[in-house]
Amino acid sequence: MALRAATAADSPACFAVFRRSLWGFMRRTGYLPADAPAPDIDALWPPYIEIFDHLAATCAHWWIAEDEEGRPIGYARSTLRSSTLELTEFFADPDARVSGVGRALLERAFPHDHAGHRSIIATVDAPAVALYLRFGVQHVTTGVDMACRPRAITAPDRYDVTPAALDDVLAIEAQLLGHGRPEDVAYMLADRPALLLRRDSEPVAYAFAPSPDGFAGPVAALDPADLPAALAALEGAAHAAGAERLELTVPLAATAAVDWLLGERGWRIDPFYVLFLMDGPWARLDRYLPFNPCLIL
């Protein structure tokens, strides 16, 4: 095994490791049948090109592990926004697991000596979680995927819904996440439309509608009571755009969203779920649903 710093030219190879690793995990946990065919990496790559380009251009640490023949067998990448270090990806090829490769990658991409906040959105792969918990994070809440076929709906009349601008989103996120990430929000706004909800002329929530590839989120509200209105605006926008499916990752701590989506709108829970691991409950996940694909908050 050899470790080296990755470059933008490594993005396709890292994506292939990501998809093979995820496929192996989903087979091991019964999410996919044991005889499920290997993923078509070339077919899956196009919707991820822009997010991988964004992460390649703005990451803090990005390391790749290669076998003795120079083939990628794992990688780890993190971002630094203000003082918050977030591990965005950590994957190893299921056919080329090497003892110590995970720890070696994490020590470089998610170093112990970082003085600010730390965050990971993790699958429930047991060996990976056991390793993460030795890197200064703890379980804060669990997230589940929820999906629906969008139907016509609008936010209640007491809300004004307009396109969201960069400063609108950053102002709300400053209160919910505690740090600024203008580079991420600018990327999100270029990738998918965003709606701002005002009540009594005051901004109270935002929601990012689906991108052309079908990814939606984040959704956030200063008060959890405003989450249903933001989700209604999101579903209505998805329906108007002709989306056949709408999917969000919902932290179970966001009970206002969970109750409304399941009880009022009849969304379904997908059995795939994730763990939100942080160095403390600094993110207001009772009123924030993350970006999809779920690589960053």
Side-chain angles (χ1 to χ4, degrees):
M1 180 188 69
L3 297 178
R4 63 172 175 82
T7 70
D10 294 308
S11 286
C14 286
F15 178 77
V17 171
F18 158 50
R19 295 307 307 195
R20 288 195 300 268
S21 177
L22 188 61
W23 169 72
F25 163 74
M26 294 169 77
R27 288 199 310 163
R28 294 195 310 274
T29 56
Y31 189 89
L32 291 175
D35 59 352
D40 183 341
I41 303 298
D42 291 339
L44 293 170
W45 172 231
Y48 284 83
I49 291 174
E50 291 187 1
I51 180 64
F52 267 64
D53 285 348
H54 168 68
L55 292 174
T58 64
C59 65
H61 308 287
W62 183 14
W63 288 82
I64 189 168
E66 298 173 329
D67 65 15
E68 63 277 6
E69 297 181 11
R71 293 174 299 198
I73 60 173
Y75 79 102
R77 177 160 50 189
S78 61
T79 61
L80 182 62
R81 306 295 186 241
S82 298
S83 62
T84 297
L85 185 68
E86 181 173 6
L87 185 70
T88 61
E89 301 127 277
F90 171 66
F91 295 100
D93 196 308
D95 295 328
R97 298 210 170 200
V98 178
S99 177
V101 65
R103 176 177 289 277
L105 285 168
L106 278 187
E107 286 173 345
R108 289 161 174 78
F110 203 59
H112 284 282
D113 59 0
H114 176 70
H117 285 311
R118 307 167 72 82
S119 176
I120 306 171
I121 303 176
T123 66
V124 293
D125 181 81
V129 173
L131 188 55
Y132 295 150
L133 294 177
R134 296 196 288 271
F135 276 75
V137 294
Q138 63 194 49
H139 177 253
V140 175
T141 190
T142 299
V144 296
D145 284 355
M146 295 189 184
C148 76
R149 183 184 179 92
R151 293 168 290 161
I153 186 174
T154 59
D157 291 341
R158 63 182 179 276
Y159 294 93
D160 293 323
V161 181
T162 59
L166 178 67
D167 289 345
D168 300 321
V169 176
L170 292 176
I172 292 175
E173 289 199 344
Q175 298 188 53
L176 303 189
L177 300 182
H179 65 275
R181 49 175 188 169
E183 55 272 80
D184 291 330
V185 174
Y187 158 73
M188 295 174 190
L189 288 169
D191 185 64
R192 61 197 66 175
L195 305 171
L196 179 71
L197 282 75
R198 289 185 172 87
R199 181 168 35 80
D200 299 327
S201 300
E202 292 297 320
V204 296
Y206 71 72
F208 279 77
S211 70
D213 295 311
F215 294 122
V219 182
L222 295 176
D223 185 325
D226 293 313
L227 272 178
L231 291 165
L234 168 59
E235 185 177 344
H239 177 268
E244 295 292 321
R245 177 181 170 87
L246 178 58
E247 182 175 311
L248 293 168
T249 298
V250 183
L252 293 180
T255 54
V258 172
D259 292 346
W260 192 80
L261 293 172
L262 296 180
E264 296 295 326
R265 299 302 296 167
W267 286 45
R268 303 173 306 281
I269 291 181
D270 187 292
F272 192 84
Y273 58 101
V274 296
L275 304 177
F276 289 86
L277 306 176
M278 300 176 179
D279 60 313
W282 45 266
R284 306 295 297 275
L285 297 180
D286 63 331
R287 60 201 71 190
Y288 179 83
L289 282 59
F291 177 85
N292 263 328
C294 214
L295 301 177
I296 56 176
L297 275 176

